[in-house]
Amino acid sequence: QKEVEQNSGPLSVPEGAIASLNCTYSDRGSQSFFWYRQYSGKSPELIMFIYSNGDKEDGRFTAQLNKASQYVSLLIRDSQPSDSATYLCAVNNAGNMLTFGGGTRLMVKP
Amino acid sequence: DAGVIQSPRHEVTEMGQEVTLRCKPISGHNSLFWYRQTMMRGLELLIYFNNNVPIDDSGMPEDRFSAKMPNASFSTLKIQPSEPRDSAVYFCASSLMGQGGEQYFGPGTRLTVT
């Protein structure tokens, strides 16, 4: 059973702080990794993807991948109340299929 | 560019009725996915198609569920007969094969079976 694990939260951070969201996966053969943001009542929105070990930065977002530790994370710098949402980690194991984690609920408090 | 389009956005029906959900993928995408999301079970993959052909339907809960993709721009998910436990949000997503797996989701259909 290929699994993707996330802490369900809620993770509460003050406005302006760095939010750190973590995800572990079980399949060592996983090739690509995705972070989706889902606001309440809305659909998942792709915000970051990463294929290689290391960091990938896009604006206030940084995705980090460590394949040896089977660990992927998302850092959100200068967190804003509008970042409050559920963040879903997804892993591509084979073909086009994604396995999703249960999501981490982030709350950014003004 | 239009994203993934789903209809209806909301559906309320009585137990035993047939429900049909519709999806139009992003133009040029050749993979299509149907998901179901509930609070208890999270986001579950029901079935996916590559080039209009069903590849993996192991997530379809039972024979009451069926999905078709008659052409590259249209897919349906049918539940017959519907049951209260089918109440959920159903998402359609599409992607381009060979591009690493990035999937783009439609707005979803919120189904309530009473």
Side-chain angles (χ1 to χ4, degrees), chain A residues 11 23 27 32 34 38-39 51 54 56 58 62 67 73 83 85 91 94 106:
Chain A
L11 172 66
C23 171
D27 184 4
S32 47
F34 305 85
Q38 187 174 23
Y39 292 114
Y51 301 147
K56 179 181 178 182
D58 183 0
T62 298
K67 288 188 176 181
S73 64
D83 294 326
V91 174
L106 173 66

Side-chain angles (χ1 to χ4, degrees), chain A:
Chain A
Q1 181 78 7
K2 298 170 183 174
E3 294 183 346
V4 178
E5 300 288 341
Q6 296 181 256
N7 188 315
S8 62
L11 172 66
S12 183
V13 300
E15 184 175 356
I18 295 175
S20 178
L21 305 162
N22 304 315
C23 171
T24 59
Y25 59 95
S26 63
D27 184 4
R28 284 196 172 272
S30 300
Q31 297 294 315
S32 47
F33 308 84
F34 305 85
W35 284 99
Y36 286 81
R37 178 177 61 199
Q38 187 174 23
Y39 292 114
S40 180
K42 301 295 186 183
S43 60
E45 174 193 8
L46 180 63
I47 56 172
M48 288 286 289
F49 58 87
I50 186 166
Y51 301 147
S52 304
N53 274 331
D55 295 0
K56 179 181 178 182
E57 187 174 315
D58 183 0
R60 295 186 298 112
F61 298 99
T62 298
Q64 298 176 318
L65 175 61
N66 183 326
K67 288 188 176 181
S69 299
Q70 295 176 243
Y71 176 95
V72 58
S73 64
L74 178 71
L75 302 178
I76 306 175
R77 290 181 298 281
D78 188 25
S79 295
Q80 301 297 308
S82 58
D83 294 326
S84 298
T86 296
Y87 289 80
L88 300 166
C89 173
V91 174
N92 176 244
N93 306 112
N96 277 16
M97 288 177 60
L98 296 182
T99 301
F100 283 84
T104 298
R105 184 178 164 212
L106 173 66
M107 297 173 60
V108 181
K109 299 194 171 180

Side-chain angles (χ1 to χ4, degrees), chain A residues 32-34 36 38 41-46 49 51 88 92 94-98 100-102, chain B residues 31 33 35 37 43 45 48 50 56 91 95-107:
Chain A
S32 47
F33 308 84
F34 305 85
Y36 286 81
Q38 187 174 23
K42 301 295 186 183
S43 60
E45 174 193 8
L46 180 63
F49 58 87
Y51 301 147
L88 300 166
N92 176 244
N96 277 16
M97 288 177 60
L98 296 182
F100 283 84
Chain B
S31 294
F33 306 80
Y35 291 90
Q37 188 175 43
L43 195 61
L45 177 66
Y48 85 96
N50 281 345
D56 188 334
F91 290 107
S95 72
L96 186 60
M97 262 196 302
Q99 294 298 308
E102 301 160 45
Q103 294 181 16
Y104 297 89
F105 283 74

Side-chain angles (χ1 to χ4, degrees), chain B residues 1-76:
Chain B
D1 262 351
V4 176
I5 298 172
Q6 291 186 248
S7 64
R9 295 292 303 275
H10 301 274
E11 177 80 35
V12 180
T13 191
E14 292 183 348
M15 182 174 63
Q17 297 298 307
E18 176 179 297
V19 175
T20 299
L21 311 181
R22 297 172 176 80
C23 175
K24 177 179 169 57
I26 292 172
S27 177
H29 281 190
N30 49 14
S31 294
L32 183 139
F33 306 80
W34 282 102
Y35 291 90
R36 177 172 70 177
Q37 188 175 43
T38 61
M39 290 293 292
M40 290 297 295
R41 300 175 66 90
L43 195 61
E44 303 174 277
L45 177 66
L46 300 177
I47 185 171
Y48 85 96
F49 296 82
N50 281 345
N51 293 320
N52 314 338
V53 176
I55 302 301
D56 188 334
D57 65 354
S58 60
M60 296 286 261
E62 48 197 276
D63 292 346
R64 297 185 298 106
F65 285 69
S66 62
K68 294 182 179 180
M69 191 164 187
N71 57 61
S73 58
F74 183 66
S75 177
T76 60

